[in-house]
Amino acid sequence: MSSQDVRDDELLRIEGIRKTFPGVVALDGVDFDLRRGEVHVLLGENGAGKSTLIKTLSGAHTPDAGRILVDGQEVRINGAQDSERLGIATIYQEFNLVPELTVAENIFLGRQPRRLGMIDRKRMDADAAVLLERVGVDVSPRTRVRELGIARLQMVEIAKALSLDARVLIMDEPTAVLTSEEVEKLFAIVRRLRADGVGIVFITHHLEEIAALGDRVTVIRDGASVGQVPASTPEDELVRLMVGRSIEQQYPRERTDAGEALLKVEGLTRGGVFHDVGFEVRAGEVVGIAGLVGAGRTEVVRAVFGADPYDRGSVLVGGARLRGHDVNAAMAAGIGLVPEDRKGQGLVLDASVEENLGLVTLRSTSRAGLVDLKGQRAAAARIAGQLGVRMAGLGQQVRTLSGGNQQKVVIGKWLLANTKVLILDEPTRGIDVGAKVEIYQLINELTAAGAAVLMISSDLPEVLGMSDRVLVMAQGRIAGELAAGEATQDAVMALAVSNPQSTQSAQSAQSAQNAQNHGTEADGGR
């Protein structure tokens, strides 16, 4: 394809975009272009500048320098209306939908068709139905958005973008919370839009998605574009471009000899949720919990932490039994939980980095009701430095940090509390490959210091790569345990899809039969 052909086929071009905030250079000379009918992947670590760039295109930020061209003409985007007028639509990770309104009302919010001065609901529903059919989602235009799951919410967002006659569609981490089946449906829609001539900017941390869907890749590092390569580029090379170094070992587990059992769970049961769950985690080891969605993994660890009640069973830390459904007792015993939903449950988003790091130790470091602010600040500075949190300062609002840095803050507050048993629920979800390795190294440091780590992850290679033992849950029960040497993807999945209740019943019957046979043989020998 000639350079003239490329220019004729070009929807969007960004040249030398620069954007600064107080104390931070977010973008420092970014170049990027998008053609009709292509999926151009925007790749980079958390904090690299991807979010700032797409907010510049959507009108949320105004660049300090550089220029934006649409159809070869330089434009200024001073707000969302400018972006929409130019045919640019953005679908963020946090959906911009009103739960109490219908699907049709959300699609045409602020642009409802009218007849005789009144909203023409019949036409609005009909137009919405056409858009919903185009994106392949089977949902009524009159359904309230609050009744939809994540995958359908995303399709409504895409339908909303198409209602704007979007020629440029920006998708920010669209697969982060989708199942593999939902991802395939989304990919089918993206391919259909590409065939219709829509240019798609696709942001993802899942490197395997790039070759499956993308045409080209632009890599951003430290606010600057460092390379544009074909989507067929090997993952190792993409990682090197992203982080500026090669990562020889994706899961750098440093195994140590396990010590005493720090956490022991016995017969933990909650009706209809999990049943007879028992395991232990020893000092210096990582125990992974694998299983399909709905297997009961998160529910079990929340019960262990005291966040949720259980009907029977026991949780022991260092041999001492904990009171059930008592988070304070669990924390006092040295248990920490990094929850699956870090924004909703692990952080106070409007508080500063310093305040979030001090959440767990606030009470224990207070004297006579007075908070030791100087001590808290010094401790927060030490742990933020140790974890390499990228921030303008301790006073920066934590919601403005990248996902990887937010996760470091969530983990950091438990490090300040000298946690003995750290429960990590999906610790690297939505985090780029460079930040993942930093989290893994942190896990190594914790276990080397004698702590115990219990880790849930839906990323099976991560579980296999970082765990010393793997517990597999199915239908609310422990279906089996695998040592690191025998834990393979096939072995884990075989247990994950099994019926542990039937297996246990069969084992019990076999044990009874063996005992009976043994008794008969013994009688015959007397």
Side-chain angles (χ1 to χ4, degrees), residues 43-124:
L43 191 63
E45 294 187 83
N46 283 324
K50 304 185 302 297
S51 294
T52 303
L53 181 59
I54 64 175
K55 286 179 180 177
T56 299
L57 289 172
S58 65
H61 295 325
T62 303
D64 302 325
R67 62 182 194 151
I68 301 171
L69 297 93
V70 175
D71 294 329
Q73 300 296 314
E74 185 171 350
V75 299
R76 289 189 63 82
I77 303 176
N78 295 319
Q81 288 185 334
D82 287 344
S83 180
E84 291 177 5
R85 178 176 49 80
L86 292 166
I88 301 172
T90 303
I91 300 175
Y92 294 100
Q93 281 182 274
E94 285 84 19
F95 300 137
N96 188 26
L97 299 170
V98 182
E100 295 305 318
L101 297 184
T102 67
V103 168
E105 287 168 338
N106 270 279
I107 290 174
F108 294 104
L109 189 62
R111 302 173 291 110
Q112 299 95 328
R114 293 183 176 273
R115 185 170 179 270
L116 302 176
M118 305 288 287
I119 294 175
D120 187 345
R121 293 192 175 275
K122 185 175 180 180
R123 180 184 160 194
M124 182 171 67

Side-chain angles (χ1 to χ4, degrees), residues 284-300:
E285 75 169 347
V286 177
V287 173
I289 304 182
L292 302 177
V293 173
R297 299 168 300 167
T298 293
E299 291 79 3
V300 166

Side-chain angles (χ1 to χ4, degrees), residues 488-503:
T488 63
Q489 293 202 34
D490 288 345
V492 170
M493 288 308 298
L495 288 170
V497 298
S498 68
N499 184 338
Q501 190 168 4
S502 298
T503 303

Side-chain angles (χ1 to χ4, degrees), residues 90-103 106-107 132 135 137-139 143-161 171 174 177-178 182 186 189:
T90 303
I91 300 175
Y92 294 100
Q93 281 182 274
E94 285 84 19
F95 300 137
N96 188 26
L97 299 170
V98 182
E100 295 305 318
L101 297 184
T102 67
V103 168
N106 270 279
I107 290 174
L132 292 168
V135 299
V137 60
D138 181 20
V139 61
T143 301
R144 302 223 176 256
V145 159
R146 59 178 160 74
E147 299 173 18
L148 302 181
I150 293 291
R152 287 186 168 187
L153 289 175
Q154 195 164 64
M155 302 312 172
V156 172
E157 282 278 21
I158 296 173
K160 182 178 177 181
M171 306 184 78
V177 292
L178 300 184
E182 291 167 344
L186 175 66
I189 291 167

